[in-house]
Amino acid sequence: MARHKVDAMTNQAANPESDIPGKPTSASRTTLSHIMTHNDTNLLGTVHGGVIMKLVDDAAGAVAGRHSGGPAVTASMDEMAFLEPVRVGDLVHVKAQVNWTGRTSMEVGVRVLAERWNESTPPQQVGSAYLVFAAVDADGKPRRVPPVLPETERDERRYQEAQIRRTHRLARRRAIMELREKRAAEGLGD
C-alpha cells in the first residue's frame, strides 16, 4: 500500500470533515485521442498550440469531473510544455490523471503523445501540462472532492511533485499580493 494511501485514511479518521471516501488514481484516469487535420494548423503548417491546449483542458476536465463526481472548472494551467511539433496526420493521445487533491481542488497531470496515423511506430511524447480544477456545485460554489489514493510508486511521486507545485503556486500568489499591497501603500498604481 502506498504511503499516501495510509496517510489519506489516517487524515480522514483524524478530520471528521473528510468523510468522503478516497478514490484511486485509476478510477478517473483517461485518454482522449484525436487525429490532427489541416483545420488544426498554424501559419507554420504544424498543429496550433491552442488546439493542443484545448485537448489538454478537455481531457483534464473529464478526469476532474470523474474524480470529483460532478462539475469541475479549470482554475489554472501550469507548466504547459510543447516538446515537439505536432503535424497534420498525427494521431494525438492526451493522457490525464488526478495527481493531488485538496479540499475542493485537484491537480490533473497531462501527457500528450503523437504518432503518425499510418505508421506502426510508438507514440512520442510531444507535450505535458499540469492543471488545477475546482469542483463546483450547481450554484458554482466550491464543493469537497474525494482524496486521491496513489496506487503505484509513480502515482506517489506525482502526488509529492504536485504538493511542491502547489506550495510554489501559493508562495507566488502571496508574493504578488504583498508586492501589490506595498505599491498601493506607496501610492504607485498599476
Side-chain angles (χ1 to χ4, degrees):
M1 181 181 290
R3 186 179 76 249
H4 174 68
K5 193 179 237 184
V6 173
D7 291 345
M9 288 185 228
T10 304
N11 288 343
Q12 280 182 345
N15 183 359
E17 193 177 343
S18 285
D19 56 356
I20 302 172
K23 287 185 178 180
T25 51
S26 62
S28 57
R29 188 178 293 140
T30 195
T31 300
L32 172 70
S33 296
H34 189 80
I35 194 158
M36 299 291 107
T37 68
H38 288 287
N39 292 335
D40 301 318
T41 59
N42 58 28
L43 296 175
L44 298 174
T46 56
V47 172
H48 195 286
V51 170
I52 301 298
M53 290 174 76
K54 179 165 183 345
L55 293 173
V56 164
D57 191 43
D58 287 347
V63 166
R66 281 180 171 185
H67 183 83
S68 68
V73 295
T74 310
S76 70
M77 178 183 275
D78 286 354
E79 300 179 36
M80 181 71 206
F82 298 99
L83 307 173
E84 296 289 334
V86 177
R87 302 170 293 164
V88 169
D90 281 354
L91 182 57
V92 172
H93 308 285
V94 183
K95 297 178 175 281
Q97 78 170 48
V98 174
N99 289 336
W100 175 90
T101 53
R103 194 167 97 57
T104 61
S105 63
M106 304 155 272
E107 182 195 89
V108 178
V110 181
R111 287 181 39 227
V112 183
L113 302 131
E115 62 181 309
R116 294 307 292 167
W117 69 274
N118 59 349
E119 297 175 9
S120 60
T121 56
Q124 175 184 9
Q125 185 168 354
V126 295
S128 65
Y130 300 101
L131 296 87
V132 176
F133 279 80
V136 295
D137 63 18
D139 297 322
K141 303 284 188 228
R143 63 181 175 79
R144 294 201 40 82
V145 299
V148 66
L149 304 175
E151 298 173 282
T152 66
E153 287 303 316
R154 179 183 230 182
D155 293 340
E156 181 66 31
R157 175 186 54 80
R158 288 179 176 189
Y159 183 89
Q160 292 170 349
E161 290 172 357
Q163 287 180 304
I164 293 168
R165 283 187 293 275
R166 179 177 187 274
T167 299
H168 287 230
R169 274 192 299 274
L170 294 175
R172 183 177 59 234
R173 182 184 316 154
R174 210 173 17 256
I176 289 170
M177 295 308 292
E178 288 171 5
L179 177 63
R180 287 180 181 174
E181 289 171 7
K182 179 182 173 203
R183 289 181 57 83
E186 293 171 353
L188 302 171
D190 288 341

